[in-house]
Amino acid sequence: MRGLDETLANNQISALPSSLAAMHNLTKLNLSHNRIVHIPTCVYSMKGLVFLHLACNRLETIADQIQDLVNLKILIVEGNSIHTLPKTLCFLESLELLNVDFNALQSVPVEMYLLSRLGRLACHPLDKGLHIIHNPLLKPIQEVLQGGLSALYNYLKPT
């Protein structure tokens, strides 16, 4: 059975009905350019999601339940006000693109090195990898990033 796609972008949505949690076959969900402050709880029940686009909303956090989206390959949350990333995000082993550009991140979880499929720091919007450069990252994270993603992982990885 082919997965379903849903685009609800460019509206003034601030919430979703809990009944959408039953959309287990949904593979792509675009909620960008809305007024969402918290990722709607029903989204974490959409186990088939491979692509989740929440750019340009009003997000300040990502809940620990993000780890429930085990098939997620692409997570785009650029242009929000996210201050921290939950360490549970680092358990999404399928994640190939994580875009957290233009947020308020000062640091990243120590477990970030577990996201081995990200592969590299990305600059072009369509590139796979970690998009993180436009954040007020604290030193030494900012300086470590100049060495690329492997330098960041080596810095974060416990010795």
Side-chain angles (χ1 to χ4, degrees):
M1 180 180 199
R2 190 175 160 269
L4 302 171
D5 300 352
E6 189 61 48
T7 299
L8 298 169
N10 297 303
N11 287 288
Q12 295 184 5
I13 295 170
S14 58
L16 293 176
S18 58
S19 59
L20 293 182
M23 299 184 76
H24 301 292
N25 292 328
L26 193 67
T27 57
K28 296 180 183 176
L29 181 59
N30 186 345
L31 292 167
S32 64
H33 299 87
N34 281 295
R35 296 181 177 179
I36 298 170
V37 176
H38 302 285
I39 298 175
T41 305
C42 64
V43 170
Y44 299 117
S45 297
M46 299 173 180
K47 306 291 187 207
L49 279 182
V50 173
F51 175 94
L52 180 57
H53 195 334
L54 286 154
C56 303
N57 275 285
R58 299 176 181 175
L59 296 176
E60 293 182 6
T61 60
I62 297 174
D64 286 340
Q65 294 100 304
I66 194 72
Q67 71 180 343
D68 295 343
L69 301 178
V70 295
N71 295 307
L72 201 61
K73 290 185 178 181
I74 298 172
L75 177 59
I76 303 170
V77 291
E78 71 177 314
N80 282 286
S81 299
I82 298 170
H83 298 282
T84 59
L85 296 175
K87 72 177 181 180
T88 56
L89 177 70
C90 302
F91 303 142
L92 296 176
E93 296 176 3
S94 298
L95 206 59
E96 296 175 358
L97 188 157
L98 174 58
N99 189 336
V100 292
D101 274 347
F102 300 102
N103 274 285
L105 294 174
Q106 293 185 355
S107 63
V108 294
V110 176
E111 297 83 2
M112 198 79 162
Y113 69 90
L114 297 171
L115 294 173
S116 59
R117 290 192 179 212
L118 290 181
R120 64 188 180 111
L121 287 176
C123 296
H124 188 275
L126 299 177
D127 285 349
K128 289 182 179 178
L130 175 63
H131 299 253
I132 195 170
I133 55 174
H134 297 101
N135 282 284
L137 294 168
L138 298 175
K139 295 178 182 176
I141 299 290
Q142 188 174 21
E143 294 163 348
V144 169
L145 281 174
Q146 293 173 358
L149 194 58
S150 61
L152 175 65
Y153 287 173
N154 287 335
Y155 173 78
L156 295 171
K157 202 176 230 181
T159 50

